[in-house]
Amino acid sequence: MTTQVLICDDSAMARKQMARSLPPEWDVELSFAADGREGLEAIREGRGEIVFLDLNMPEMDGYQVLTQVQQQDLPAVIIVVSGDIQAKAHERVKSLGAIDFIQKPVKPEAIRAILLNYGILEPATTEQEPAAPPPLTDTSMIKVDLRDACQEVANIAMGQAADLLAKLLDVFVKLPIPNVNVLETSELTMALKAVESDSKASALCQGFIAAGVAGEALLMFYDGSFEDMARLMRIDDPLDPDTEIEVLMDTGNVLIGAFLRGVFEQLHMNFSQSHPVVLGRHCDLSELIKDKIHKWQRTLAIEINYQIESYNIRCDLLLLFTEDSIPTMNYKLSYLLD
């Protein structure tokens, strides 16, 4: 009997990877949704007996979808598939009715194990002749571009960095959808000015380099965040003038290091980092980074805003890849872009 399977994820790359990773012998009819609202509508229409659900999505996120499915008692068995690997994320989705959790990037063996464990997929028997696998939805119809692929790579790396920070501080890190764009440096400066508020920020930067890829990672820590972060880090005197530098360096060490490792592991590349340098303290964002980008014409920019739940802590991680890095990034991701 054919099973109605829904893959709900805002990333075309993630939808394609998930579809390719399903057991080939599983008789399914696949549907896709690019955000939570589309996904919920597909479930209501009966196209989601089994749902593979992302958490970080526009319009309606995975937590909201789970809540609506639970409140409306919709007939859907939901497996969360996410780059947010924090223990508290696992706990929350289970409490909202998800039967299990799969970590991105997905592995076919992990999917098969869960489907077998819950009796969704029947185990193969040696006595039977293997049936020819039914054709799945043609994934060549799912088009993935550089921006989408980079966003999904960043999403996974972001989750790994957040998980490390969450474990160190015993907190829950609220994760956004990564913002990825190829920009002229003048456009980047204008974009930063557009999001500037009354809050000033302090920042550090760290250069990184790999074969054919180079850039700068910048961590911008907003004023008002230092005192809470110092207390979470158990720093003796959170009001000491040197505490801000200590907080900035320690947070940068966690978030920048873990994020870059996550990115380059997915690209199967070795990389190295320079020593972190404090760019400035209590300044406007555009002022903090203008000296770093004026020498570039274009940049591949990845921006992530980290917030810690229940605390007044907010920081931005900004990765700026040089224009010369873009062809290498395209090449490394090309197997996902067909």
Side-chain angles (χ1 to χ4, degrees), residues 148-217:
D148 183 275
C150 285
Q151 182 170 300
E152 183 62 11
V153 166
N155 179 59
I156 293 168
M158 171 185 72
Q160 293 171 358
D163 182 53
L164 179 57
L165 189 65
K167 287 175 179 175
L168 289 172
L169 303 180
D170 190 25
V171 295
F172 182 72
V173 182
K174 297 164 66 176
L175 297 179
I177 298 169
N179 187 15
V180 179
N181 286 292
V182 177
L183 299 170
E184 303 291 332
T185 52
S186 59
E187 293 176 311
L188 176 61
T189 302
M190 290 172 62
L192 288 172
K193 282 187 176 295
V195 299
E196 281 179 353
S197 64
D198 293 335
S199 298
K200 303 290 185 180
S202 301
L204 63 79
C205 75
Q206 203 166 5
F208 58 87
I209 190 167
V213 175
E216 300 273 358

Side-chain angles (χ1 to χ4, degrees), residues 29-324:
E29 182 174 338
L30 276 178
S31 297
F32 300 96
D35 60 54
R37 290 193 188 282
E38 284 186 17
L40 196 59
E41 186 60 32
I43 293 170
R44 291 194 185 105
E45 292 172 357
R47 293 186 284 123
E49 295 175 90
I50 308 295
V51 182
F52 294 99
L53 178 69
D54 187 29
L55 290 180
N56 294 340
M57 294 183 292
E59 301 296 331
M60 178 183 284
D61 64 25
Y63 295 107
Q64 293 169 310
V65 172
L66 284 164
T67 300
Q68 289 298 311
V69 168
Q70 197 174 62
Q71 290 178 349
Q72 298 177 36
D73 196 24
L74 297 175
V77 174
I78 299 180
I79 301 167
V80 167
V81 185
S82 178
D84 186 353
I85 56 176
Q86 297 176 82
K88 290 183 179 180
H90 289 217
E91 294 168 8
R92 290 181 184 190
V93 299
K94 289 288 189 71
S95 71
L96 290 170
I99 64 166
D100 220 316
F101 187 104
I102 298 175
Q103 177 179 336
K104 289 181 175 182
V106 294
K107 295 181 173 60
E109 56 270 24
I111 298 169
R112 179 182 292 276
I114 286 175
L115 296 176
L116 288 170
N117 186 49
Y118 289 97
I120 298 169
L121 181 69
E122 293 295 325
T125 59
T126 53
E127 293 83 9
Q128 295 175 336
E129 288 291 325
L136 295 178
T137 299
D138 184 5
T139 57
S140 65
M141 300 297 290
I142 305 174
K143 300 302 180 184
V144 184
D145 59 21
L146 174 66
R147 182 181 177 278
D148 183 275
C150 285
Q151 182 170 300
E152 183 62 11
V153 166
N155 179 59
I156 293 168
M158 171 185 72
Q160 293 171 358
D163 182 53
L164 179 57
L165 189 65
K167 287 175 179 175
L168 289 172
L169 303 180
D170 190 25
V171 295
F172 182 72
V173 182
K174 297 164 66 176
L175 297 179
I177 298 169
N179 187 15
V180 179
N181 286 292
V182 177
L183 299 170
E184 303 291 332
T185 52
S186 59
E187 293 176 311
L188 176 61
T189 302
M190 290 172 62
L192 288 172
K193 282 187 176 295
V195 299
E196 281 179 353
S197 64
D198 293 335
S199 298
K200 303 290 185 180
S202 301
L204 63 79
C205 75
Q206 203 166 5
F208 58 87
I209 190 167
V213 175
E216 300 273 358
L218 299 100
L219 182 72
M220 292 160 286
F221 212 85
Y222 288 89
D223 288 5
S225 302
F226 284 104
E227 193 171 336
D228 274 0
M229 184 62 96
R231 290 196 173 97
L232 284 172
M233 290 179 168
R234 298 178 178 84
I235 294 174
D236 292 335
D237 187 358
L239 299 179
D240 186 281
D242 293 331
T243 294
E244 288 186 2
I245 299 296
E246 185 176 352
V247 167
L248 195 58
M249 287 292 189
D250 288 351
T251 308
N253 184 52
V254 173
L255 290 182
I256 294 175
F259 189 89
L260 288 174
R261 280 194 301 276
V263 167
F264 285 106
E265 280 175 4
Q266 293 176 77
L267 298 178
H268 305 291
M269 298 176 73
N270 296 319
F271 74 101
S272 59
Q273 298 169 247
S274 64
H275 291 293
V277 175
V278 175
L279 292 178
R281 298 167 67 183
H282 315 296
C283 305
D284 292 330
L285 291 183
S286 53
E287 289 297 313
L288 284 170
I289 72 164
K290 67 178 182 180
D291 292 336
K292 283 290 171 187
I293 64 172
H294 77 277
K295 60 184 179 293
W296 302 346
Q297 293 299 313
R298 295 171 74 235
T299 180
L300 171 63
I302 301 175
E303 182 189 8
I304 294 165
N305 175 250
Y306 287 97
Q307 298 182 55
I308 295 181
E309 189 174 73
S310 303
Y311 292 91
N312 181 32
I313 297 172
R314 185 165 67 97
C315 60
D316 277 349
L317 180 62
L318 185 62
L319 258 68
L320 301 173
F321 292 84
T322 63
E323 183 176 6
D324 292 342

